[in-house]
Amino acid sequence: MSYLLHLLIMLGIYAILAWSLNLLVGYAGLLSLCHAAFFGLGAYTSALSMVNLGAGFWLAVILAVTLNLLLSFAISLPSLRLRGDYFVLASLGFQAVVFAVLYNWVDLTHGPYGISGIPRPTLFGIVIDSPATLALFTGTVSAGCGGLLYLVGHSPYGRTLKTIREDEVAATALGKNVTVFKVSAFALASGFAAVAGALFASQLRYVDPTSFTLLESVFILSILVIGGAGNFSGPLAGTALMVTLPEALRFLGLPDAVAANLRQVIYGLLIILLMRFRPQGLIGEYRFA
């Protein structure tokens, strides 16, 4: 039972990551490879706040979201002037910088040893520490984040992002400030990634830099590619498939090294087949090809 509850918790965390990245990729049309960096910054900020400063879970979440918002503004303003492949390379560079800081700033992050002993979340002064209550708590927060992002996506703001995605020149001609919309979408996506990071840190009670590498960014983007981007259901379908698939391989009794490689092969084949036969993913609207 504990295993299934842990799986539900991870589904909730990755659903937040997929929905938030969907706002940037599926709605605004900005392909980003640094979502794991914002995920990691959220996890480390909340962990350091709780372990070193004694902050409660919700204050730690606020600090993590605030830091991500500030960094996203500082990065997106110059980066969003870039187009297409150049923006992807800029996001890749930010991902590399964040990982290097987490790995090498030993005095603050403990480098490769990571941070342990992260407290569990609390609600009205009650510590949420059993697997069942953690799953319920994570599911509730995930549903809340998903509901907010659904409303954003179906609001005039979300429709404007789709207009910018389809034809940036036309959106400008209609009087839309394209830069403001792109920067705000980048900030919203990074803010929700911070919430996912705080949940991740409190669930595992340990964080280290290897959880927030470029491969993790590629994995989150793969959820969108396979599930589909540009609507609410695609990221959810991709999360369900991509998070549960490796767990299903455990029941085949394969050695860990073989299962890890087989998982990468399956992901690669899924992406290749979808790009060839269904570039919008399983149930998405945005075409990656």
Side-chain angles (χ1 to χ4, degrees):
M1 181 58 76
S2 296
Y3 168 74
L4 291 176
L5 292 172
H6 173 75
L7 188 57
L8 286 174
I9 291 170
M10 298 313 291
L11 280 169
I13 292 171
Y14 277 95
I16 297 173
L17 290 171
W19 278 322
S20 57
L21 184 61
N22 181 46
L23 186 68
L24 194 60
V25 178
Y27 283 80
L30 294 168
L31 195 60
S32 171
L33 281 176
C34 63
H35 214 51
F38 287 112
F39 179 39
L41 286 170
Y44 266 86
T45 304
S46 63
L48 289 169
S49 301
M50 288 191 283
V51 172
N52 292 351
L53 303 179
F57 175 77
W58 295 107
L59 177 58
V61 170
I62 292 172
L63 292 174
V65 171
T66 302
L67 178 66
N68 272 15
L69 290 178
L70 293 175
L71 280 177
S72 69
F73 280 124
I75 294 160
S76 60
L77 282 174
S79 299
L80 291 178
R81 296 181 183 278
L82 305 174
R83 292 173 180 269
D85 297 342
Y86 296 101
F87 176 75
V88 177
L89 291 174
S91 68
L92 183 63
F94 179 68
Q95 170 68 54
V97 168
V98 170
F99 178 77
V101 169
L102 297 180
Y103 196 87
N104 292 293
W105 196 353
V106 177
D107 291 341
L108 180 66
T109 67
H110 300 178
Y113 300 107
I115 301 171
S116 59
I118 301 168
R120 294 291 195 192
T122 58
L123 188 64
F124 303 119
I126 301 173
V127 179
I128 302 170
D129 55 359
S130 72
T133 54
L134 275 171
L136 180 62
F137 176 76
T138 305
T140 304
V141 174
S142 176
C145 291
L148 288 174
L149 286 166
Y150 178 86
L151 293 175
V152 169
H154 287 76
S155 67
Y157 174 82
R159 289 192 288 274
T160 302
L161 286 181
K162 285 187 174 181
T163 303
I164 293 171
R165 180 194 70 192
E166 296 299 326
D167 194 332
E168 191 171 320
V169 176
T172 304
L174 290 172
K176 306 298 182 185
N177 190 325
V178 172
T179 301
V180 169
F181 277 92
K182 285 184 174 179
V183 168
S184 58
F186 201 80
L188 280 172
S190 65
F192 279 101
V195 177
L199 289 172
F200 181 82
S202 289
Q203 161 61 19
L204 298 187
R205 305 195 69 191
Y206 171 79
V207 291
D208 74 276
T210 59
S211 298
F212 313 107
T213 62
L214 174 61
L215 284 177
E216 186 69 6
S217 283
V218 173
F219 177 73
I220 300 168
L221 182 60
S222 300
I223 291 175
L224 282 187
V225 174
I226 292 174
N231 60 19
F232 184 79
S233 304
L236 193 59
T239 302
L241 179 63
M242 296 289 281
V243 174
T244 57
L245 181 61
E247 303 302 324
L249 294 178
R250 295 178 187 273
F251 297 101
L252 297 179
L254 299 172
D256 289 343
V258 175
N261 291 329
L262 182 59
R263 184 169 61 240
Q264 300 301 326
V265 170
I266 293 173
Y267 289 164
L269 285 175
L270 280 174
I271 292 173
I272 291 171
L273 291 173
L274 283 168
M275 288 300 97
R276 172 63 181 84
F277 298 106
R278 193 173 173 79
Q280 68 270 42
L282 295 176
I283 50 177
E285 298 175 5
Y286 176 69
R287 296 172 68 90
F288 285 90

